[in-house]
Amino acid sequence: MAEVYYVGVDVGTASVRAALVTREGVLKRTAEEHISIWEPQADHYVQSSTEIWEKCCSVVKNVTQGLNRNQVRGVGFDATCSLVVLDQTFQPVPVSQDGDRLKNVVMWMDHRAAEQAARITHTGHKVLSRVGGVMSPEMQPPKLLWLKENLKESCWNKAANFFDLPDFLSWKATGSLTRSLCTLVCKWTYCPPEGWDGSFWTSIGLEDILENNFSKIGSVTCSPGNPLGNGLTQEAAANLGLAPGTAVGASLIDAHAGGLGVIGADVKGFHLPCEDHPISTRMAMICGTSTCHMAISEQPLFVPGVWGPCLSAMVPGMWLNEGGQSATGRLIDHMVTGHTAYTQLQEQAQQRFPFAGENIYSYLNNHLSLMSPSHSAVDLLASSLHVWPDFHGNRSPLADSTLKGMFGTRHILEAMKEAGHDIRTLFLCGGLSKNPLYVQIHANATGLAVVLPDQMEAVLIGAAVLGACASQDYSTIQEAMENMAKVGTVVQPDCELQSFYERKYRVFLRLFAHQREYQAIMNQR
């Protein structure tokens, strides 16, 4: 019997990727295409949904070339939580002053709506309790409000369909307007089982969104991985090089797909603290340019400054809390490349690691090891150094975009534990998870074992899980995760460093208290 496959498609910030994945979760092929980003003015970042879909078709054709089309049983999409705007005939509507129709996507990192987000926060509406009490400019309501207030004639009056990018992709594939609960709950204030709260949209000046039972933003919803429509349409199948009717699962935001690709792995035999305990004792960390901290629970838990609880936003039937650090990989790159010795570092790294793809960070990790006294942990080099790296706003647990920086995973973990989470093991994926020092310090600082997946492209595995579930080859997302996500490496914390990190964390909390006092004084002036 011919082997069956699933295709996972991941639309990131700057590229589209696809993977051909087996029933056991093994990546057989991958392909990648660059996508354009335009910055028409400061804090405005836009893309083209037409180009994105074309690149999706290209990478899927690439990874399925030479296969019998019937061997591909299902397709799953994930993408950034960008906003796609289409008119009544589903044609692109411009989202910038220049009126270019093809540039119809307001990117997730577009902060043009910061003032609108602040106004929405000040309403104090009850729906804000599920986004940590603060509306982020990266969510969709403030972006919609900005379009209405600033591009009413050229965009708002012509727009008839607003999609989160993951939902746009599943619509292009199937023709189904059903939205994923992942996108609507996390980025649009939808709250199952009640649904949309019309009073919220009216209170922020977007009462026209209520028309035709909220048809512009989605009247019908389903959990991630549910089969959509009748599968691939004839047109989409031809464009993708697949068979019409191939199952397509309801989509996910890219970070949530990463969570799906690691958090449900079978851990039997690895002697982890989460073994023989519910999946709610695990936290997924998707570590890249920024970092997302995903924790799930059987009952809704409200964590101050942390998004959620969101029902069925990642694992159907489970509540999701999402913490985050606004700048991690990007902050490390900024600190390294902005240093006066960066040119010297490049030269020395190239000499020592001429063939290593990550030669700069391999060199730095090795250099830190040489700096450490014999048999001492690298962590101790910072015993007298306490950094408050305020660079790019705080996502969690303070939810304050005016603070410029990232806060520690330990801080987020403690906030979640205080709210009722029982997290015993960390599951990491993403680019930073490939740095062994970064991983080890996370284990040491939190005192928790860290699990790395055996397939490092966990986001693509998560997208493929959606296709596998939609094909009904697996009966649930949980079953698909357990069979397709695999444990690779386990990194244990250094127990001898526990008291060291306890002291560091107490210093951090004192710094935090002083900084908040200073900010309060400055705000009164």
PDB file of all heavy atoms in Angstrom, residues 372-389:
ATOM      1  N   SER A 372      34.327  30.858  31.878  1.00  0.00           N
ATOM      2  CA  SER A 372      33.856  30.310  33.147  1.00  0.00           C
ATOM      3  C   SER A 372      34.993  29.614  33.871  1.00  0.00           C
ATOM      4  O   SER A 372      35.785  28.899  33.251  1.00  0.00           O
ATOM      5  CB  SER A 372      32.721  29.318  32.912  1.00  0.00           C
ATOM      6  OG  SER A 372      31.663  29.928  32.219  1.00  0.00           O
ATOM      7  N   PRO A 373      35.090  29.797  35.193  1.00  0.00           N
ATOM      8  CA  PRO A 373      36.091  29.055  35.955  1.00  0.00           C
ATOM      9  C   PRO A 373      35.886  27.548  35.781  1.00  0.00           C
ATOM     10  O   PRO A 373      34.793  27.092  35.445  1.00  0.00           O
ATOM     11  CB  PRO A 373      35.824  29.488  37.399  1.00  0.00           C
ATOM     12  CG  PRO A 373      35.100  30.792  37.279  1.00  0.00           C
ATOM     13  CD  PRO A 373      34.300  30.701  36.026  1.00  0.00           C
ATOM     14  N   SER A 374      36.893  26.782  35.991  1.00  0.00           N
ATOM     15  CA  SER A 374      36.844  25.340  35.786  1.00  0.00           C
ATOM     16  C   SER A 374      35.647  24.715  36.491  1.00  0.00           C
ATOM     17  O   SER A 374      35.420  24.944  37.688  1.00  0.00           O
ATOM     18  CB  SER A 374      38.140  24.706  36.307  1.00  0.00           C
ATOM     19  OG  SER A 374      38.103  23.313  36.109  1.00  0.00           O
ATOM     20  N   HIS A 375      34.870  23.954  35.727  1.00  0.00           N
ATOM     21  CA  HIS A 375      33.715  23.200  36.232  1.00  0.00           C
ATOM     22  C   HIS A 375      32.585  24.104  36.744  1.00  0.00           C
ATOM     23  O   HIS A 375      31.680  23.639  37.422  1.00  0.00           O
ATOM     24  CB  HIS A 375      34.126  22.222  37.340  1.00  0.00           C
ATOM     25  CG  HIS A 375      35.219  21.286  36.949  1.00  0.00           C
ATOM     26  ND1 HIS A 375      35.095  20.387  35.919  1.00  0.00           N
ATOM     27  CD2 HIS A 375      36.484  21.126  37.435  1.00  0.00           C
ATOM     28  CE1 HIS A 375      36.218  19.700  35.788  1.00  0.00           C
ATOM     29  NE2 HIS A 375      37.086  20.135  36.686  1.00  0.00           N
ATOM     30  N   SER A 376      32.617  25.385  36.448  1.00  0.00           N
ATOM     31  CA  SER A 376      31.539  26.280  36.870  1.00  0.00           C
ATOM     32  C   SER A 376      30.557  26.487  35.725  1.00  0.00           C
ATOM     33  O   SER A 376      30.931  26.460  34.550  1.00  0.00           O
ATOM     34  CB  SER A 376      32.099  27.642  37.312  1.00  0.00           C
ATOM     35  OG  SER A 376      32.881  27.504  38.471  1.00  0.00           O
ATOM     36  N   ALA A 377      29.313  26.716  36.077  1.00  0.00           N
ATOM     37  CA  ALA A 377      28.291  26.950  35.067  1.00  0.00           C
ATOM     38  C   ALA A 377      28.453  28.336  34.459  1.00  0.00           C
ATOM     39  O   ALA A 377      28.844  29.297  35.142  1.00  0.00           O
ATOM     40  CB  ALA A 377      26.901  26.814  35.679  1.00  0.00           C
ATOM     41  N   VAL A 378      28.172  28.442  33.171  1.00  0.00           N
ATOM     42  CA  VAL A 378      28.218  29.730  32.482  1.00  0.00           C
ATOM     43  C   VAL A 378      27.300  30.739  33.157  1.00  0.00           C
ATOM     44  O   VAL A 378      27.601  31.934  33.219  1.00  0.00           O
ATOM     45  CB  VAL A 378      27.826  29.545  30.998  1.00  0.00           C
ATOM     46  CG1 VAL A 378      27.575  30.881  30.322  1.00  0.00           C
ATOM     47  CG2 VAL A 378      28.908  28.769  30.252  1.00  0.00           C
ATOM     48  N   ASP A 379      26.176  30.267  33.688  1.00  0.00           N
ATOM     49  CA  ASP A 379      25.196  31.138  34.331  1.00  0.00           C
ATOM     50  C   ASP A 379      25.835  32.042  35.382  1.00  0.00           C
ATOM     51  O   ASP A 379      25.442  33.194  35.568  1.00  0.00           O
ATOM     52  CB  ASP A 379      24.099  30.314  35.014  1.00  0.00           C
ATOM     53  CG  ASP A 379      23.553  29.198  34.148  1.00  0.00           C
ATOM     54  OD1 ASP A 379      24.364  28.413  33.620  1.00  0.00           O
ATOM     55  OD2 ASP A 379      22.325  29.087  34.023  1.00  0.00           O
ATOM     56  N   LEU A 380      26.855  31.509  36.106  1.00  0.00           N
ATOM     57  CA  LEU A 380      27.450  32.239  37.226  1.00  0.00           C
ATOM     58  C   LEU A 380      28.256  33.444  36.792  1.00  0.00           C
ATOM     59  O   LEU A 380      28.599  34.293  37.620  1.00  0.00           O
ATOM     60  CB  LEU A 380      28.328  31.286  38.046  1.00  0.00           C
ATOM     61  CG  LEU A 380      27.585  30.101  38.690  1.00  0.00           C
ATOM     62  CD1 LEU A 380      28.560  29.189  39.406  1.00  0.00           C
ATOM     63  CD2 LEU A 380      26.510  30.596  39.654  1.00  0.00           C
ATOM     64  N   LEU A 381      28.566  33.546  35.500  1.00  0.00           N
ATOM     65  CA  LEU A 381      29.252  34.735  35.015  1.00  0.00           C
ATOM     66  C   LEU A 381      28.416  35.990  35.245  1.00  0.00           C
ATOM     67  O   LEU A 381      28.955  37.097  35.319  1.00  0.00           O
ATOM     68  CB  LEU A 381      29.558  34.594  33.516  1.00  0.00           C
ATOM     69  CG  LEU A 381      30.618  33.557  33.118  1.00  0.00           C
ATOM     70  CD1 LEU A 381      30.640  33.383  31.608  1.00  0.00           C
ATOM     71  CD2 LEU A 381      31.992  33.971  33.634  1.00  0.00           C
ATOM     72  N   ALA A 382      27.128  35.842  35.352  1.00  0.00           N
ATOM     73  CA  ALA A 382      26.231  36.990  35.540  1.00  0.00           C
ATOM     74  C   ALA A 382      25.772  37.131  36.983  1.00  0.00           C
ATOM     75  O   ALA A 382      24.767  37.774  37.254  1.00  0.00           O
ATOM     76  CB  ALA A 382      25.008  36.840  34.627  1.00  0.00           C
ATOM     77  N   SER A 383      26.534  36.567  37.916  1.00  0.00           N
ATOM     78  CA  SER A 383      26.099  36.586  39.316  1.00  0.00           C
ATOM     79  C   SER A 383      25.977  38.003  39.876  1.00  0.00           C
ATOM     80  O   SER A 383      25.147  38.264  40.744  1.00  0.00           O
ATOM     81  CB  SER A 383      27.067  35.767  40.183  1.00  0.00           C
ATOM     82  OG  SER A 383      28.381  36.284  40.070  1.00  0.00           O
ATOM     83  N   SER A 384      26.779  38.936  39.380  1.00  0.00           N
ATOM     84  CA  SER A 384      26.726  40.315  39.870  1.00  0.00           C
ATOM     85  C   SER A 384      26.127  41.269  38.842  1.00  0.00           C
ATOM     86  O   SER A 384      26.206  42.485  38.994  1.00  0.00           O
ATOM     87  CB  SER A 384      28.138  40.796  40.245  1.00  0.00           C
ATOM     88  OG  SER A 384      28.683  39.987  41.258  1.00  0.00           O
ATOM     89  N   LEU A 385      25.561  40.697  37.786  1.00  0.00           N
ATOM     90  CA  LEU A 385      24.994  41.516  36.712  1.00  0.00           C
ATOM     91  C   LEU A 385      23.485  41.314  36.668  1.00  0.00           C
ATOM     92  O   LEU A 385      23.000  40.190  36.527  1.00  0.00           O
ATOM     93  CB  LEU A 385      25.602  41.116  35.369  1.00  0.00           C
ATOM     94  CG  LEU A 385      25.117  41.882  34.134  1.00  0.00           C
ATOM     95  CD1 LEU A 385      25.512  43.350  34.226  1.00  0.00           C
ATOM     96  CD2 LEU A 385      25.691  41.257  32.868  1.00  0.00           C
ATOM     97  N   HIS A 386      22.743  42.402  36.798  1.00  0.00           N
ATOM     98  CA  HIS A 386      21.278  42.334  36.772  1.00  0.00           C
ATOM     99  C   HIS A 386      20.774  43.302  35.704  1.00  0.00           C
ATOM    100  O   HIS A 386      20.968  44.511  35.814  1.00  0.00           O
ATOM    101  CB  HIS A 386      20.690  42.686  38.138  1.00  0.00           C
ATOM    102  CG  HIS A 386      21.305  41.918  39.264  1.00  0.00           C
ATOM    103  ND1 HIS A 386      21.086  40.571  39.451  1.00  0.00           N
ATOM    104  CD2 HIS A 386      22.165  42.298  40.243  1.00  0.00           C
ATOM    105  CE1 HIS A 386      21.762  40.161  40.506  1.00  0.00           C
ATOM    106  NE2 HIS A 386      22.429  41.189  40.994  1.00  0.00           N
ATOM    107  N   VAL A 387      20.179  42.765  34.670  1.00  0.00           N
ATOM    108  CA  VAL A 387      19.790  43.569  33.505  1.00  0.00           C
ATOM    109  C   VAL A 387      18.275  43.687  33.427  1.00  0.00           C
ATOM    110  O   VAL A 387      17.554  42.708  33.581  1.00  0.00           O
ATOM    111  CB  VAL A 387      20.325  42.930  32.201  1.00  0.00           C
ATOM    112  CG1 VAL A 387      19.909  43.767  30.995  1.00  0.00           C
ATOM    113  CG2 VAL A 387      21.840  42.811  32.263  1.00  0.00           C
ATOM    114  N   TRP A 388      17.834  44.911  33.183  1.00  0.00           N
ATOM    115  CA  TRP A 388      16.404  45.165  32.934  1.00  0.00           C
ATOM    116  C   TRP A 388      16.299  45.591  31.472  1.00  0.00           C
ATOM    117  O   TRP A 388      16.335  46.765  31.138  1.00  0.00           O
ATOM    118  CB  TRP A 388      15.910  46.274  33.856  1.00  0.00           C
ATOM    119  CG  TRP A 388      14.438  46.498  33.808  1.00  0.00           C
ATOM    120  CD1 TRP A 388      13.753  47.430  33.103  1.00  0.00           C
ATOM    121  CD2 TRP A 388      13.461  45.754  34.522  1.00  0.00           C
ATOM    122  NE1 TRP A 388      12.415  47.325  33.323  1.00  0.00           N
ATOM    123  CE2 TRP A 388      12.199  46.301  34.190  1.00  0.00           C
ATOM    124  CE3 TRP A 388      13.493  44.673  35.387  1.00  0.00           C
ATOM    125  CZ2 TRP A 388      11.006  45.805  34.709  1.00  0.00           C
ATOM    126  CZ3 TRP A 388      12.312  44.191  35.909  1.00  0.00           C
ATOM    127  CH2 TRP A 388      11.098  44.756  35.571  1.00  0.00           C
ATOM    128  N   PRO A 389      16.206  44.639  30.552  1.00  0.00           N
ATOM    129  CA  PRO A 389      16.345  44.967  29.121  1.00  0.00           C
ATOM    130  C   PRO A 389      15.066  45.517  28.500  1.00  0.00           C
ATOM    131  O   PRO A 389      14.341  44.826  27.811  1.00  0.00           O
ATOM    132  CB  PRO A 389      16.743  43.621  28.508  1.00  0.00           C
ATOM    133  CG  PRO A 389      16.097  42.611  29.401  1.00  0.00           C
ATOM    134  CD  PRO A 389      16.038  43.202  30.767  1.00  0.00           C
TER     135      PRO A 389
END
